[in-house]
Amino acid sequence: FQAGAGYSFNTGDTAIYANGPNPGAVSQGDLYSTNNQLRGLSIATQYKKGPLLAIASYDTAFGSATVSTGNNPPQNQTNRNLTRPQAWYLGLGYTVGKVVLAGAWGRSINGALSGSVPGDGSRATPLFVLTGDANILFSQGFNFNSYMLGVTWNATPRTQVMSSWQMMKPDSQLPGIQSSGSQQIVSAAMLHNLSPRTSVYVYASYGTNFQMFQGAKSTVVGSGIQTVF
């Protein structure tokens, strides 16, 4: 059994406060200001016995005391956004011979945590994520559940084949979005170890209602080589 906790006085993340005075405002942490820091808390536990692995985690973020009005020049004002995004996750894994079965469930309330721009970072993409151009979304009353089923097959001592299904299902509407739906993503991948230090991999993923935006689709394929020095 293992457990851990962490608290950050300044995560360095950006945030969008959907219920604030300026819904489009993105607040960045200021290393030199105690009022403009976005704080975070994480707690996690892990239990492993024989073929069974169980994990649980909790994450939340605390908004900065002030936000920019977005004017030119920008001005700071009191952050009246009272909500706090929170996320709970539970996961199970079980090994049967050469196969590892996995499942997970998550519940997020009042926004979304740890968002990022989709894609590989090397080019622009028309896809949009829940947190917009920021890392964290503060949105009172926007809640959703997450589900995942996965399987890993150790086909040979040097080759692994993996597949998964994921779903995010909203139970409320995101402010400013006309329609939302359940995101579903199916993925497959293969990893082959050329040597103890070098491996090659291929992967593919297809998603519908990407980031729970009705009608948005995402297709990702890729391959690569990894060497550990």
Side-chain angles (χ1 to χ4, degrees), residues 32-96:
Y32 305 103
S33 171
T34 57
N35 292 327
N36 208 27
Q37 294 179 354
L38 196 156
R39 296 157 292 141
L41 171 68
S42 296
I43 302 173
T45 63
Q46 173 182 294
Y47 174 78
K48 182 173 175 53
K49 184 175 183 180
L52 176 67
L53 173 66
I55 61 172
S57 68
Y58 170 77
D59 296 280
T60 188
F62 306 86
S64 58
T66 60
V67 293
S68 172
T69 60
N71 297 332
N72 190 13
Q75 298 177 348
N76 288 339
Q77 65 183 46
T78 301
N79 184 5
R80 295 182 176 84
N81 189 97
L82 301 178
T83 190
R84 180 162 56 90
Q86 303 176 66
W88 293 264
Y89 291 100
L90 298 174
L92 290 174
Y94 195 85
T95 301
V96 182

CSV table of all heavy atoms in Angstrom, one decimal, residues 32-96:
chain,number,residue,atom,x,y,z
A,32,TYR,N,5.7,36.7,-8.3
A,32,TYR,CA,6.0,37.8,-7.4
A,32,TYR,C,4.8,38.4,-6.7
A,32,TYR,O,4.9,39.4,-6.1
A,32,TYR,CB,6.8,38.9,-8.1
A,32,TYR,CG,8.0,38.3,-8.8
A,32,TYR,CD1,8.0,38.1,-10.2
A,32,TYR,CD2,9.1,38.0,-8.1
A,32,TYR,CE1,9.1,37.6,-10.8
A,32,TYR,CE2,10.3,37.5,-8.7
A,32,TYR,CZ,10.2,37.3,-10.1
A,32,TYR,OH,11.3,36.8,-10.8
A,33,SER,N,3.6,37.7,-6.9
A,33,SER,CA,2.4,38.3,-6.3
A,33,SER,C,1.7,37.1,-5.5
A,33,SER,O,1.4,36.1,-6.1
A,33,SER,CB,1.5,38.8,-7.3
A,33,SER,OG,0.2,39.1,-6.8
A,34,THR,N,1.3,37.4,-4.3
A,34,THR,CA,0.6,36.4,-3.5
A,34,THR,C,-0.9,36.4,-3.9
A,34,THR,O,-1.6,35.4,-3.5
A,34,THR,CB,0.7,36.7,-2.0
A,34,THR,OG1,0.2,38.0,-1.7
A,34,THR,CG2,2.2,36.6,-1.6
A,35,ASN,N,-1.4,37.4,-4.6
A,35,ASN,CA,-2.8,37.4,-4.9
A,35,ASN,C,-3.1,36.8,-6.3
A,35,ASN,O,-4.3,36.5,-6.6
A,35,ASN,CB,-3.3,38.9,-4.9
A,35,ASN,CG,-3.3,39.5,-3.6
A,35,ASN,OD1,-3.6,38.8,-2.6
A,35,ASN,ND2,-3.1,40.8,-3.5
A,36,ASN,N,-2.1,36.5,-7.1
A,36,ASN,CA,-2.3,36.1,-8.4
A,36,ASN,C,-1.8,34.7,-8.7
A,36,ASN,O,-1.4,34.4,-9.8
A,36,ASN,CB,-1.7,37.1,-9.4
A,36,ASN,CG,-2.4,37.1,-10.8
A,36,ASN,OD1,-3.6,36.8,-10.8
A,36,ASN,ND2,-1.7,37.4,-11.8
A,37,GLN,N,-1.8,33.9,-7.6
A,37,GLN,CA,-1.3,32.5,-7.7
A,37,GLN,C,-2.4,31.5,-7.7
A,37,GLN,O,-3.4,31.6,-6.9
A,37,GLN,CB,-0.4,32.2,-6.6
A,37,GLN,CG,0.9,33.1,-6.6
A,37,GLN,CD,1.8,32.8,-5.5
A,37,GLN,OE1,1.5,32.1,-4.5
A,37,GLN,NE2,3.0,33.4,-5.5
A,38,LEU,N,-2.4,30.6,-8.7
A,38,LEU,CA,-3.3,29.5,-8.7
A,38,LEU,C,-2.7,28.3,-8.0
A,38,LEU,O,-1.7,27.8,-8.3
A,38,LEU,CB,-3.6,29.1,-10.2
A,38,LEU,CG,-4.8,28.3,-10.5
A,38,LEU,CD1,-5.3,28.6,-12.0
A,38,LEU,CD2,-4.6,26.8,-10.3
A,39,ARG,N,-3.4,27.8,-7.0
A,39,ARG,CA,-2.9,26.7,-6.1
A,39,ARG,C,-3.6,25.4,-6.5
A,39,ARG,O,-4.7,25.4,-7.0
A,39,ARG,CB,-3.1,27.1,-4.7
A,39,ARG,CG,-2.3,28.3,-4.2
A,39,ARG,CD,-3.0,28.9,-3.0
A,39,ARG,NE,-4.3,29.5,-3.3
A,39,ARG,CZ,-5.3,29.5,-2.4
A,39,ARG,NH1,-5.2,28.8,-1.3
A,39,ARG,NH2,-6.4,30.0,-2.8
A,40,GLY,N,-2.9,24.3,-6.1
A,40,GLY,CA,-3.5,23.0,-6.4
A,40,GLY,C,-3.2,22.0,-5.3
A,40,GLY,O,-2.2,22.1,-4.6
A,41,LEU,N,-4.1,21.0,-5.2
A,41,LEU,CA,-4.0,19.9,-4.2
A,41,LEU,C,-4.2,18.6,-4.9
A,41,LEU,O,-5.2,18.4,-5.7
A,41,LEU,CB,-5.0,20.1,-3.1
A,41,LEU,CG,-5.1,18.9,-2.1
A,41,LEU,CD1,-3.8,18.8,-1.2
A,41,LEU,CD2,-6.3,19.1,-1.2
A,42,SER,N,-3.3,17.6,-4.6
A,42,SER,CA,-3.5,16.2,-5.2
A,42,SER,C,-3.2,15.2,-4.1
A,42,SER,O,-2.3,15.4,-3.3
A,42,SER,CB,-2.5,16.0,-6.3
A,42,SER,OG,-2.7,16.9,-7.4
A,43,ILE,N,-4.1,14.2,-4.1
A,43,ILE,CA,-4.0,13.1,-3.1
A,43,ILE,C,-4.2,11.8,-3.9
A,43,ILE,O,-5.1,11.7,-4.7
A,43,ILE,CB,-5.0,13.2,-2.0
A,43,ILE,CG1,-4.8,14.5,-1.2
A,43,ILE,CG2,-4.8,12.0,-1.0
A,43,ILE,CD1,-5.9,14.7,-0.2
A,44,ALA,N,-3.3,10.8,-3.6
A,44,ALA,CA,-3.5,9.5,-4.4
A,44,ALA,C,-3.0,8.4,-3.5
A,44,ALA,O,-2.2,8.5,-2.6
A,44,ALA,CB,-2.6,9.5,-5.6
A,45,THR,N,-3.7,7.2,-3.7
A,45,THR,CA,-3.3,6.0,-3.0
A,45,THR,C,-3.2,4.8,-4.0
A,45,THR,O,-3.8,4.9,-5.1
A,45,THR,CB,-4.4,5.6,-2.0
A,45,THR,OG1,-5.6,5.3,-2.6
A,45,THR,CG2,-4.5,6.7,-0.9
A,46,GLN,N,-2.4,3.8,-3.7
A,46,GLN,CA,-2.2,2.7,-4.5
A,46,GLN,C,-2.1,1.4,-3.7
A,46,GLN,O,-1.4,1.4,-2.6
A,46,GLN,CB,-0.9,2.8,-5.4
A,46,GLN,CG,-0.6,1.5,-6.2
A,46,GLN,CD,0.7,1.7,-6.9
A,46,GLN,OE1,0.8,2.5,-7.9
A,46,GLN,NE2,1.7,0.9,-6.5
A,47,TYR,N,-2.8,0.4,-4.1
A,47,TYR,CA,-2.8,-0.9,-3.4
A,47,TYR,C,-2.5,-2.0,-4.4
A,47,TYR,O,-3.1,-2.1,-5.5
A,47,TYR,CB,-4.1,-1.2,-2.7
A,47,TYR,CG,-4.2,-2.6,-2.1
A,47,TYR,CD1,-3.6,-2.8,-0.9
A,47,TYR,CD2,-4.9,-3.6,-2.7
A,47,TYR,CE1,-3.6,-4.1,-0.3
A,47,TYR,CE2,-4.9,-4.9,-2.2
A,47,TYR,CZ,-4.3,-5.1,-1.0
A,47,TYR,OH,-4.3,-6.4,-0.4
A,48,LYS,N,-1.5,-2.8,-4.1
A,48,LYS,CA,-1.1,-3.9,-5.0
A,48,LYS,C,-0.9,-5.2,-4.3
A,48,LYS,O,-0.2,-5.2,-3.2
A,48,LYS,CB,0.2,-3.6,-5.8
A,48,LYS,CG,0.6,-4.6,-6.8
A,48,LYS,CD,1.8,-4.2,-7.6
A,48,LYS,CE,2.3,-5.3,-8.5
A,48,LYS,NZ,1.3,-5.9,-9.4
A,49,LYS,N,-1.5,-6.3,-4.7
A,49,LYS,CA,-1.4,-7.6,-4.1
A,49,LYS,C,-1.6,-8.6,-5.2
A,49,LYS,O,-2.6,-8.7,-5.8
A,49,LYS,CB,-2.4,-7.8,-3.0
A,49,LYS,CG,-2.2,-9.1,-2.2
A,49,LYS,CD,-3.2,-9.2,-1.1
A,49,LYS,CE,-2.9,-10.5,-0.3
A,49,LYS,NZ,-3.8,-10.7,0.8
A,50,GLY,N,-0.5,-9.4,-5.4
A,50,GLY,CA,-0.6,-10.4,-6.5
A,50,GLY,C,-0.9,-9.8,-7.8
A,50,GLY,O,-0.3,-8.8,-8.3
A,51,PRO,N,-1.9,-10.3,-8.5
A,51,PRO,CA,-2.3,-9.8,-9.8
A,51,PRO,C,-3.1,-8.5,-9.8
A,51,PRO,O,-3.4,-8.0,-10.8
A,51,PRO,CB,-3.0,-11.0,-10.5
A,51,PRO,CG,-3.7,-11.6,-9.3
A,51,PRO,CD,-2.7,-11.5,-8.2
A,52,LEU,N,-3.5,-8.1,-8.6
A,52,LEU,CA,-4.5,-7.0,-8.5
A,52,LEU,C,-3.8,-5.7,-8.2
A,52,LEU,O,-2.9,-5.6,-7.4
A,52,LEU,CB,-5.5,-7.3,-7.4
A,52,LEU,CG,-6.5,-6.1,-7.0
A,52,LEU,CD1,-7.4,-5.9,-8.2
A,52,LEU,CD2,-7.2,-6.4,-5.7
A,53,LEU,N,-4.2,-4.6,-8.9
A,53,LEU,CA,-3.7,-3.3,-8.7
A,53,LEU,C,-4.9,-2.3,-8.6
A,53,LEU,O,-5.7,-2.3,-9.5
A,53,LEU,CB,-2.7,-2.8,-9.8
A,53,LEU,CG,-2.3,-1.3,-9.7
A,53,LEU,CD1,-1.4,-1.1,-8.5
A,53,LEU,CD2,-1.6,-1.0,-11.0
A,54,ALA,N,-5.0,-1.6,-7.5
A,54,ALA,CA,-6.1,-0.6,-7.3
A,54,ALA,C,-5.5,0.8,-7.0
A,54,ALA,O,-4.5,0.9,-6.2
A,54,ALA,CB,-7.0,-1.1,-6.2
A,55,ILE,N,-6.0,1.8,-7.6
A,55,ILE,CA,-5.6,3.2,-7.3
A,55,ILE,C,-6.8,4.1,-7.2
A,55,ILE,O,-7.9,3.8,-7.7
A,55,ILE,CB,-4.7,3.7,-8.5
A,55,ILE,CG1,-5.5,3.7,-9.8
A,55,ILE,CG2,-3.4,2.9,-8.7
A,55,ILE,CD1,-4.8,4.4,-10.9
A,56,ALA,N,-6.6,5.2,-6.4
A,56,ALA,CA,-7.6,6.2,-6.2
A,56,ALA,C,-6.9,7.5,-6.1
A,56,ALA,O,-5.8,7.6,-5.6
A,56,ALA,CB,-8.4,5.9,-5.0
A,57,SER,N,-7.5,8.6,-6.6
A,57,SER,CA,-6.9,9.9,-6.6
A,57,SER,C,-7.9,11.0,-6.5
A,57,SER,O,-9.1,10.8,-6.8
A,57,SER,CB,-6.0,10.2,-7.8
A,57,SER,OG,-6.8,10.3,-9.0
A,58,TYR,N,-7.5,12.1,-6.0
A,58,TYR,CA,-8.4,13.3,-5.8
A,58,TYR,C,-7.5,14.5,-6.2
A,58,TYR,O,-6.4,14.7,-5.7
A,58,TYR,CB,-8.9,13.5,-4.4
A,58,TYR,CG,-9.6,14.8,-4.2
A,58,TYR,CD1,-10.9,15.0,-4.7
A,58,TYR,CD2,-8.9,15.8,-3.5
A,58,TYR,CE1,-11.5,16.2,-4.4
A,58,TYR,CE2,-9.6,17.0,-3.3
A,58,TYR,CZ,-10.9,17.2,-3.7
A,58,TYR,OH,-11.5,18.4,-3.5
A,59,ASP,N,-8.1,15.4,-7.0
A,59,ASP,CA,-7.4,16.6,-7.4
A,59,ASP,C,-8.3,17.8,-7.4
A,59,ASP,O,-9.5,17.7,-7.7
A,59,ASP,CB,-6.8,16.5,-8.9
A,59,ASP,CG,-5.8,15.4,-9.0
A,59,ASP,OD1,-4.6,15.7,-8.6
A,59,ASP,OD2,-6.1,14.3,-9.5
A,60,THR,N,-7.8,19.0,-7.0
A,60,THR,CA,-8.6,20.2,-7.0
A,60,THR,C,-7.7,21.4,-7.2
A,60,THR,O,-6.5,21.3,-7.1
A,60,THR,CB,-9.4,20.3,-5.7
A,60,THR,OG1,-10.3,21.4,-5.8
A,60,THR,CG2,-8.5,20.6,-4.5
A,61,ALA,N,-8.3,22.5,-7.6
A,61,ALA,CA,-7.5,23.7,-7.9
A,61,ALA,C,-8.2,24.9,-7.2
A,61,ALA,O,-9.5,24.9,-7.1
A,61,ALA,CB,-7.4,24.0,-9.4
A,62,PHE,N,-7.4,25.8,-6.7
A,62,PHE,CA,-8.0,27.0,-6.0
A,62,PHE,C,-7.6,28.2,-6.9
A,62,PHE,O,-6.4,28.5,-7.1
A,62,PHE,CB,-7.3,27.2,-4.6
A,62,PHE,CG,-7.5,25.9,-3.7
A,62,PHE,CD1,-6.6,24.9,-3.8
A,62,PHE,CD2,-8.6,25.8,-2.9
A,62,PHE,CE1,-6.8,23.8,-3.0
A,62,PHE,CE2,-8.8,24.7,-2.1
A,62,PHE,CZ,-7.8,23.7,-2.1
A,63,GLY,N,-8.6,29.0,-7.3
A,63,GLY,CA,-8.4,30.1,-8.2
A,63,GLY,C,-7.6,31.2,-7.5
A,63,GLY,O,-7.6,31.4,-6.3
A,64,SER,N,-7.0,32.1,-8.3
A,64,SER,CA,-6.2,33.2,-7.9
A,64,SER,C,-7.2,34.3,-7.3
A,64,SER,O,-8.4,34.3,-7.7
A,64,SER,CB,-5.4,33.8,-9.0
A,64,SER,OG,-6.2,34.2,-10.1
A,65,ALA,N,-6.7,35.1,-6.4
A,65,ALA,CA,-7.6,36.1,-5.8
A,65,ALA,C,-7.9,37.2,-6.7
A,65,ALA,O,-9.0,37.9,-6.6
A,65,ALA,CB,-6.8,36.7,-4.5
A,66,THR,N,-7.1,37.5,-7.7
A,66,THR,CA,-7.4,38.5,-8.7
A,66,THR,C,-7.3,38.0,-10.1
A,66,THR,O,-6.6,37.0,-10.4
A,66,THR,CB,-6.4,39.7,-8.6
A,66,THR,OG1,-5.1,39.2,-8.8
A,66,THR,CG2,-6.5,40.3,-7.2
A,67,VAL,N,-8.0,38.6,-11.1
A,67,VAL,CA,-8.0,38.2,-12.5
A,67,VAL,C,-7.9,39.4,-13.3
A,67,VAL,O,-8.3,40.5,-12.9
A,67,VAL,CB,-9.2,37.4,-12.9
A,67,VAL,CG1,-9.3,36.0,-12.2
A,67,VAL,CG2,-10.5,38.2,-12.6
A,68,SER,N,-7.4,39.3,-14.5
A,68,SER,CA,-7.2,40.4,-15.4
A,68,SER,C,-8.6,40.7,-16.1
A,68,SER,O,-9.4,39.8,-16.4
A,68,SER,CB,-6.2,40.1,-16.5
A,68,SER,OG,-6.2,41.1,-17.5
A,69,THR,N,-8.9,42.0,-16.3
A,69,THR,CA,-10.1,42.3,-16.9
A,69,THR,C,-10.1,42.2,-18.4
A,69,THR,O,-11.1,42.2,-19.1
A,69,THR,CB,-10.4,43.8,-16.7
A,69,THR,OG1,-9.4,44.6,-17.2
A,69,THR,CG2,-10.5,44.1,-15.2
A,70,GLY,N,-8.9,41.9,-19.0
A,70,GLY,CA,-8.8,41.8,-20.4
A,70,GLY,C,-8.7,43.1,-21.2
A,70,GLY,O,-8.7,43.1,-22.4
A,71,ASN,N,-8.8,44.2,-20.5
A,71,ASN,CA,-8.7,45.5,-21.1
A,71,ASN,C,-7.3,45.8,-21.7
A,71,ASN,O,-6.3,45.1,-21.4
A,71,ASN,CB,-9.1,46.6,-20.2
A,71,ASN,CG,-10.6,46.5,-19.7
A,71,ASN,OD1,-11.4,45.9,-20.4
A,71,ASN,ND2,-10.9,46.9,-18.5
A,72,ASN,N,-7.2,46.8,-22.4
A,72,ASN,CA,-5.9,47.3,-22.9
A,72,ASN,C,-5.6,48.7,-22.5
A,72,ASN,O,-6.2,49.6,-23.0
A,72,ASN,CB,-5.8,47.1,-24.5
A,72,ASN,CG,-4.4,47.3,-25.0
A,72,ASN,OD1,-3.5,47.3,-24.2
A,72,ASN,ND2,-4.3,47.5,-26.3
A,73,PRO,N,-4.7,48.9,-21.5
A,73,PRO,CA,-3.9,47.9,-20.9
A,73,PRO,C,-4.7,47.1,-19.9
A,73,PRO,O,-5.7,47.6,-19.3
A,73,PRO,CB,-2.8,48.8,-20.1
A,73,PRO,CG,-3.5,50.0,-19.8
A,73,PRO,CD,-4.4,50.3,-21.0
A,74,PRO,N,-4.3,45.8,-19.6
A,74,PRO,CA,-5.1,45.0,-18.6
A,74,PRO,C,-5.1,45.5,-17.2
A,74,PRO,O,-4.1,46.2,-16.8
A,74,PRO,CB,-4.4,43.6,-18.7
A,74,PRO,CG,-3.0,44.0,-19.2
A,74,PRO,CD,-3.1,45.2,-20.1
A,75,GLN,N,-6.2,45.3,-16.5
A,75,GLN,CA,-6.3,45.7,-15.1
A,75,GLN,C,-6.7,44.5,-14.3
A,75,GLN,O,-7.5,43.7,-14.7
A,75,GLN,CB,-7.2,46.9,-15.0
A,75,GLN,CG,-6.8,48.1,-15.7
A,75,GLN,CD,-7.9,49.2,-15.6
A,75,GLN,OE1,-9.0,49.0,-15.2
A,75,GLN,NE2,-7.5,50.4,-16.0
A,76,ASN,N,-6.2,44.4,-13.1
A,76,ASN,CA,-6.6,43.4,-12.2
A,76,ASN,C,-7.8,43.8,-11.3
A,76,ASN,O,-7.9,44.9,-10.9
A,76,ASN,CB,-5.4,43.0,-11.3
A,76,ASN,CG,-4.4,42.2,-12.0
A,76,ASN,OD1,-4.6,41.6,-13.1
A,76,ASN,ND2,-3.2,42.2,-11.5
A,77,GLN,N,-8.7,42.8,-11.1
A,77,GLN,CA,-9.8,43.0,-10.2
A,77,GLN,C,-10.1,41.7,-9.4
A,77,GLN,O,-9.6,40.7,-9.7
A,77,GLN,CB,-11.0,43.4,-11.0
A,77,GLN,CG,-11.6,42.3,-11.9
A,77,GLN,CD,-12.8,42.9,-12.7
A,77,GLN,OE1,-12.8,44.0,-13.2
A,77,GLN,NE2,-13.8,42.1,-12.7
A,78,THR,N,-10.8,41.9,-8.3
A,78,THR,CA,-11.1,40.7,-7.4
A,78,THR,C,-11.8,39.6,-8.2
A,78,THR,O,-12.7,39.8,-9.0
A,78,THR,CB,-12.0,41.2,-6.3
A,78,THR,OG1,-11.3,42.2,-5.5
A,78,THR,CG2,-12.3,40.0,-5.3
A,79,ASN,N,-11.3,38.4,-8.0
A,79,ASN,CA,-11.9,37.2,-8.7
A,79,ASN,C,-13.2,36.8,-7.9
A,79,ASN,O,-13.1,36.3,-6.8
A,79,ASN,CB,-10.9,36.1,-8.7
A,79,ASN,CG,-11.5,34.9,-9.4
A,79,ASN,OD1,-12.6,34.9,-10.0
A,79,ASN,ND2,-10.7,33.8,-9.4
A,80,ARG,N,-14.4,37.0,-8.5
A,80,ARG,CA,-15.6,36.7,-7.8
A,80,ARG,C,-16.1,35.3,-8.2
A,80,ARG,O,-17.2,34.9,-7.8
A,80,ARG,CB,-16.7,37.7,-8.2
A,80,ARG,CG,-16.4,39.1,-7.6
A,80,ARG,CD,-17.4,40.1,-8.0
A,80,ARG,NE,-17.2,41.4,-7.4
A,80,ARG,CZ,-16.4,42.3,-7.9
A,80,ARG,NH1,-15.8,42.1,-9.1
A,80,ARG,NH2,-16.2,43.5,-7.3
A,81,ASN,N,-15.3,34.5,-8.9
A,81,ASN,CA,-15.6,33.1,-9.2
A,81,ASN,C,-15.4,32.3,-8.0
A,81,ASN,O,-14.3,32.1,-7.5
A,81,ASN,CB,-14.7,32.6,-10.3
A,81,ASN,CG,-15.1,31.3,-10.9
A,81,ASN,OD1,-15.8,31.2,-11.9
A,81,ASN,ND2,-14.7,30.2,-10.2
A,82,LEU,N,-16.5,31.8,-7.4
A,82,LEU,CA,-16.5,31.1,-6.1
A,82,LEU,C,-16.4,29.5,-6.3
A,82,LEU,O,-16.3,28.8,-5.3
A,82,LEU,CB,-17.8,31.4,-5.3
A,82,LEU,CG,-18.0,32.8,-5.0
A,82,LEU,CD1,-19.3,33.0,-4.2
A,82,LEU,CD2,-16.8,33.4,-4.2
A,83,THR,N,-16.4,29.1,-7.5
A,83,THR,CA,-16.4,27.6,-7.8
A,83,THR,C,-15.0,27.1,-7.6
A,83,THR,O,-14.0,27.8,-7.7
A,83,THR,CB,-16.9,27.3,-9.2
A,83,THR,OG1,-17.1,25.9,-9.3
A,83,THR,CG2,-16.0,27.7,-10.2
A,84,ARG,N,-14.9,25.7,-7.5
A,84,ARG,CA,-13.6,25.1,-7.4
A,84,ARG,C,-13.7,23.7,-8.1
A,84,ARG,O,-14.4,22.8,-7.7
A,84,ARG,CB,-13.2,24.9,-5.9
A,84,ARG,CG,-11.9,24.2,-5.7
A,84,ARG,CD,-11.4,24.4,-4.3
A,84,ARG,NE,-12.3,23.9,-3.3
A,84,ARG,CZ,-12.3,22.7,-2.8
A,84,ARG,NH1,-11.5,21.8,-3.2
A,84,ARG,NH2,-13.2,22.4,-1.8
A,85,PRO,N,-12.9,23.6,-9.2
A,85,PRO,CA,-13.0,22.3,-10.0
A,85,PRO,C,-12.4,21.2,-9.1
A,85,PRO,O,-11.4,21.4,-8.5
A,85,PRO,CB,-12.2,22.5,-11.2
A,85,PRO,CG,-11.3,23.7,-10.9
A,85,PRO,CD,-12.1,24.5,-9.9
A,86,GLN,N,-13.0,20.0,-9.2
A,86,GLN,CA,-12.6,18.8,-8.4
A,86,GLN,C,-12.7,17.6,-9.3
A,86,GLN,O,-13.6,17.5,-10.1
A,86,GLN,CB,-13.4,18.7,-7.1
A,86,GLN,CG,-13.3,19.9,-6.2
A,86,GLN,CD,-14.2,19.7,-5.0
A,86,GLN,OE1,-14.0,18.8,-4.1
A,86,GLN,NE2,-15.3,20.5,-4.9
A,87,ALA,N,-11.8,16.6,-9.1
A,87,ALA,CA,-11.9,15.4,-9.8
A,87,ALA,C,-11.5,14.2,-8.9
A,87,ALA,O,-10.5,14.3,-8.2
A,87,ALA,CB,-10.9,15.5,-11.0
A,88,TRP,N,-12.3,13.2,-9.0
A,88,TRP,CA,-12.0,11.9,-8.3
A,88,TRP,C,-11.8,10.8,-9.4
A,88,TRP,O,-12.6,10.7,-10.3
A,88,TRP,CB,-13.2,11.5,-7.4
A,88,TRP,CG,-13.5,12.3,-6.2
A,88,TRP,CD1,-13.1,12.2,-4.9
A,88,TRP,CD2,-14.3,13.5,-6.2
A,88,TRP,NE1,-13.5,13.2,-4.1
A,88,TRP,CE2,-14.3,14.0,-4.9
A,88,TRP,CE3,-15.0,14.2,-7.2
A,88,TRP,CZ2,-14.9,15.2,-4.5
A,88,TRP,CZ3,-15.7,15.4,-6.8
A,88,TRP,CH2,-15.6,15.8,-5.5
A,89,TYR,N,-10.9,9.9,-9.1
A,89,TYR,CA,-10.6,8.8,-10.1
A,89,TYR,C,-10.4,7.5,-9.3
A,89,TYR,O,-9.7,7.5,-8.3
A,89,TYR,CB,-9.4,9.1,-10.9
A,89,TYR,CG,-9.6,10.2,-11.9
A,89,TYR,CD1,-9.1,11.5,-11.6
A,89,TYR,CD2,-10.3,10.0,-13.1
A,89,TYR,CE1,-9.3,12.5,-12.5
A,89,TYR,CE2,-10.5,11.0,-14.0
A,89,TYR,CZ,-10.0,12.3,-13.7
A,89,TYR,OH,-10.2,13.3,-14.6
A,90,LEU,N,-11.0,6.4,-9.8
A,90,LEU,CA,-10.7,5.1,-9.3
A,90,LEU,C,-10.3,4.2,-10.4
A,90,LEU,O,-10.9,4.3,-11.5
A,90,LEU,CB,-12.0,4.5,-8.7
A,90,LEU,CG,-12.6,5.3,-7.4
A,90,LEU,CD1,-13.9,4.7,-7.1
A,90,LEU,CD2,-11.6,5.2,-6.3
A,91,GLY,N,-9.3,3.4,-10.2
A,91,GLY,CA,-8.8,2.5,-11.3
A,91,GLY,C,-8.5,1.1,-10.8
A,91,GLY,O,-8.0,1.0,-9.6
A,92,LEU,N,-8.7,0.1,-11.6
A,92,LEU,CA,-8.4,-1.3,-11.2
A,92,LEU,C,-7.6,-1.9,-12.4
A,92,LEU,O,-7.9,-1.7,-13.6
A,92,LEU,CB,-9.6,-2.1,-11.0
A,92,LEU,CG,-10.4,-1.8,-9.7
A,92,LEU,CD1,-11.7,-2.6,-9.7
A,92,LEU,CD2,-9.6,-2.1,-8.5
A,93,GLY,N,-6.6,-2.8,-12.0
A,93,GLY,CA,-5.9,-3.6,-13.0
A,93,GLY,C,-5.8,-5.0,-12.5
A,93,GLY,O,-5.6,-5.2,-11.3
A,94,TYR,N,-5.9,-5.9,-13.4
A,94,TYR,CA,-5.8,-7.4,-13.0
A,94,TYR,C,-5.0,-8.1,-14.1
A,94,TYR,O,-5.4,-8.0,-15.3
A,94,TYR,CB,-7.2,-8.0,-12.8
A,94,TYR,CG,-7.1,-9.3,-12.0
A,94,TYR,CD1,-7.1,-9.3,-10.6
A,94,TYR,CD2,-7.1,-10.5,-12.7
A,94,TYR,CE1,-7.0,-10.5,-9.9
A,94,TYR,CE2,-7.0,-11.7,-12.0
A,94,TYR,CZ,-7.0,-11.7,-10.6
A,94,TYR,OH,-6.9,-12.8,-9.9
A,95,THR,N,-4.0,-8.9,-13.7
A,95,THR,CA,-3.2,-9.6,-14.6
A,95,THR,C,-3.6,-11.1,-14.7
A,95,THR,O,-3.7,-11.7,-13.6
A,95,THR,CB,-1.7,-9.5,-14.2
A,95,THR,OG1,-1.3,-8.2,-14.2
A,95,THR,CG2,-0.8,-10.3,-15.2
A,96,VAL,N,-3.9,-11.6,-15.9
A,96,VAL,CA,-4.2,-13.0,-16.1
A,96,VAL,C,-3.3,-13.5,-17.1
A,96,VAL,O,-3.4,-13.3,-18.3
A,96,VAL,CB,-5.7,-13.1,-16.6
A,96,VAL,CG1,-6.0,-14.6,-16.7
A,96,VAL,CG2,-6.6,-12.4,-15.6
